[in-house]
């Protein structure tokens, strides 16, 4: 080990760690966990089945359906938003 | 009426049993009548950490199944008169730990003790659920490490939705954070999540920070709760934790690396 190496290894430690990466990853992860936690577990299946029913009558794209779930003080709100294609009319 | 405290975490190996042993011993030494229960059915370890493994005759499941009385199963600590240990069973049948049985035992204990400390198994399955269900207070033991912090957050979700207090609409379980295996030097180097980082994510009442310490292994080797090792940093930090839990305003210690003098820098081996 050269003299320079010796000084390099005995210098006071720099802020070289990657704890900040850990924190960033955790913040994202925990936020996602928390969103999923407050929703009923049947939600994805409900979305699929509603879409299947609508598709019996109108041809809609999977991406045009959005399901929102919100918890209010005393009640829960399930909001369905379906964008029908322009040509859709009564069969 | 006893206060029921669960020591929980989600993740394994973070120091739940060490904490349960330290907290119960600390409370008992302050004259509180305390019982500590091992909920880790099949993998009991609390009796080892407390150093009473050779005195186990009956266990928690025996009491639930009416195969023994509570008094037959409770082990009085030899170092402290007001501390009792209720060991877990080595049986593999986890279903033996059912809600009615647990409730009956806790109700019976509640009349004669000030504190009931429930040492939860790792995971978020049945045993952990039983340990936290009846809790008034929860101490969430967390290491400054990603998977542990995430699991703690999931456990907090379970406490706030599936505990008895949540289900019956009572005042929520009081949740505390205990950060263990903290290495101030690595935090200073930016190599480990700091207390503030963890608090930014979990935002709980900070009950204590236990430094990474050789004393913890040494205490478990000997079957002596580390809180009794007054010389050690971890023992002192656990002492502070108990004082804080009981309402004392104790400043946090061991958060920053020790400042080394010139001599110890030069002569350090």
């Amino acid at each position: 080990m050269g003299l320079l190496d010796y000084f390099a290894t005995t210098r006071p430690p720099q802020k070289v760690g990657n704890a900040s990466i850990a924190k960033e990853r955790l913040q994202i992860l925990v936020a996602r966990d928390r969103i999923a936690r407050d929703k009923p577990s049947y939600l994805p299946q409900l979305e699929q089945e509603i879409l299947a029913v609508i598709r019996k009558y109108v041809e809609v794209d999977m991406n045009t359906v959005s399901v929102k779930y919100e918890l209010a003080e005393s009640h829960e709100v399930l909001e369905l938003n379906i964008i029908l294609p322009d040509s859709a009319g009564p069969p | 009426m006893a206060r029921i405290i669960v020591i929980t975490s989600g993740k394994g190996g973070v120091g739940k049993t060490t904490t349960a042993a330290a907290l119960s011993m600390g409370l008992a030494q302050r004259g509180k009548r305390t019982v500590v229960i091992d909920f880790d059915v099949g993998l009991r370890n609390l009796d080892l950490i407390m150093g009473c493994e050779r005195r186990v005759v009956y266990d928690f499941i025996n009491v639930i199944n009416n195969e023994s009385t509570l008094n037959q199963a409770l082990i009085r600590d030899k170092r402290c008169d007001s501390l009792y240990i209720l060991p877990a069973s080595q049986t593999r049948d986890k279903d033996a730990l059912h809600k009615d049985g647990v409730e009956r035992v806790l109700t019976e204990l509640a009349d004669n003790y000030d504190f009931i400390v429930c040492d939860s198994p790792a995971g978020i399955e049945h045993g952990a659920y039983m340990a936290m269900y009846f809790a008034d207070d929860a101490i969430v033991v967390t290491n400054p490490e990603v998977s542990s912090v995430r699991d703690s957050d999931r456990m907090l979700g379970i406490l706030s939705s599936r505990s008895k207090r949540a289900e019956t609409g009572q005042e929520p379980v009081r949740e505390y954070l205990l950060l263990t295996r903290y290495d101030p030097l690595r935090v200073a180097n930016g190599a480990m999540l700091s207390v503030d980082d963890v608090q930014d994510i979990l935002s709980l009442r900070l009950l204590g920070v236990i430094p990474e310490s050789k004393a913890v292994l040494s205490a478990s080797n000997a079957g002596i709760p580390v809180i009794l090792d007054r010389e050690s940093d971890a023992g002192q930090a656990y002492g502070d934790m108990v004082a804080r839990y009981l309402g004392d305003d104790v400043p946090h210690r061991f958060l920053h690396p020790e400042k080394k003098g010139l001599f110890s820098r030069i002569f350090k081996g």
Side-chain angles (χ1 to χ4, degrees), chain A residues 10 12-23 25-27 29-30 33-34 37, chain B residues 145-146 149-150 153-154 156-157 185 187-193 196-197 200-202:
Chain A
T10 50
Q14 308 285 308
K15 281 237 174 194
V16 288
N18 55 2
S20 57
I21 300 175
K23 188 180 179 184
R25 290 174 63 215
L26 263 173
Q27 280 170 324
L29 201 59
V30 165
D33 283 350
R34 284 178 187 167
R37 176 195 302 168
Chain B
E145 178 270 323
V146 280
V149 176
R150 186 202 196 179
D153 189 67
R154 294 198 59 191
L156 291 168
L185 193 62
V187 171
N189 292 346
M192 180 181 266
L193 291 166
D196 293 339
D197 290 339
D200 281 350
I201 291 160
L202 298 178

Side-chain angles (χ1 to χ4, degrees), chain A residues 52-84:
Chain A
V53 172
I54 291 164
R55 274 187 160 167
K56 273 194 198 171
Y57 302 95
V58 194
E59 194 46 49
V60 290
D61 185 30
M62 181 69 200
N63 299 323
T64 59
V65 179
S66 72
V67 179
K68 263 194 198 164
Y69 180 85
E70 275 172 35
L71 265 175
E73 283 277 310
S74 59
H75 57 279
E76 296 151 44
V77 180
L78 185 65
E79 184 187 306
L80 291 172
N81 192 2
I82 303 156
I83 302 165
L84 299 174

Side-chain angles (χ1 to χ4, degrees), chain B residues 25-245:
Chain B
M25 179 60 81
L27 289 169
Q29 284 194 318
R30 286 168 166 255
K32 309 289 183 192
R33 294 167 304 166
T34 307
V35 57
V36 57
I37 308 177
D38 190 349
F39 275 76
D40 204 346
V41 172
L43 287 172
R44 76 168 189 227
N45 280 321
L46 179 68
D47 49 336
L48 271 173
I49 300 297
M50 298 296 297
C52 64
E53 70 276 9
R54 291 169 68 183
R55 297 165 62 207
V56 176
V57 181
Y58 295 107
D59 59 55
F60 192 16
I61 300 294
N62 290 140
V63 180
I64 288 177
N65 292 342
N66 290 311
E67 292 153 2
S68 81
T69 65
L70 196 47
N71 283 333
Q72 284 176 310
L74 286 170
I75 302 169
R76 173 180 266 191
D77 190 272
K78 284 192 167 163
R79 295 150 297 209
C80 188
D81 277 353
S82 45
L83 177 60
Y84 286 81
I85 298 122
L86 184 55
S89 139
Q90 288 282 40
T91 170
R92 277 189 236 153
D93 182 16
K94 295 202 175 188
D95 295 335
L97 200 66
H98 53 82
K99 208 183 265 180
D100 294 345
V102 173
E103 182 166 34
R104 184 175 55 81
V105 174
L106 291 179
T107 310
E108 207 177 323
L109 288 169
D111 292 334
N112 299 316
Y113 291 90
D114 300 312
F115 291 102
I116 302 173
V117 177
C118 303
D119 182 23
S120 171
I124 50 173
E125 283 163 33
H126 186 69
Y129 176 60
M130 284 297 112
M132 68 89 196
Y133 187 75
F134 297 99
D136 300 307
D137 298 330
I139 297 179
V140 181
V141 183
T142 308
N143 291 168
E145 178 270 323
V146 280
S147 56
S148 175
V149 176
R150 186 202 196 179
D151 289 357
S152 293
D153 189 67
R154 294 198 59 191
M155 190 45 80
L156 291 168
I158 293 168
L159 281 163
S160 65
S161 63
R162 293 181 64 198
S163 61
K164 186 182 180 192
R165 281 179 172 268
E167 285 182 0
T168 56
Q170 298 175 66
E171 197 186 314
V173 176
R174 189 178 271 264
E175 300 157 342
Y176 297 93
L177 173 67
L178 182 75
L179 208 53
T180 54
R181 309 201 69 162
Y182 199 71
D183 185 337
L185 193 62
R186 297 177 78 188
V187 171
N189 292 346
M192 180 181 266
L193 291 166
S194 69
V195 189
D196 293 339
D197 290 339
V198 177
Q199 278 292 62
D200 281 350
I201 291 160
L202 298 178
S203 31
L204 297 171
R205 299 171 185 83
L206 183 63
L207 196 58
V209 178
I210 312 297
E212 173 78 62
S213 169
K214 287 177 182 154
V216 173
L217 179 61
S218 154
S220 96
N221 286 343
I224 300 165
V226 70
I227 195 169
L228 296 176
D229 183 355
R230 302 247 181 249
E231 303 293 307
S232 71
D233 46 2
Q236 291 173 21
Y238 271 120
D240 290 357
M241 172 198 80
V242 174
R244 252 178 237 121
Y245 176 76

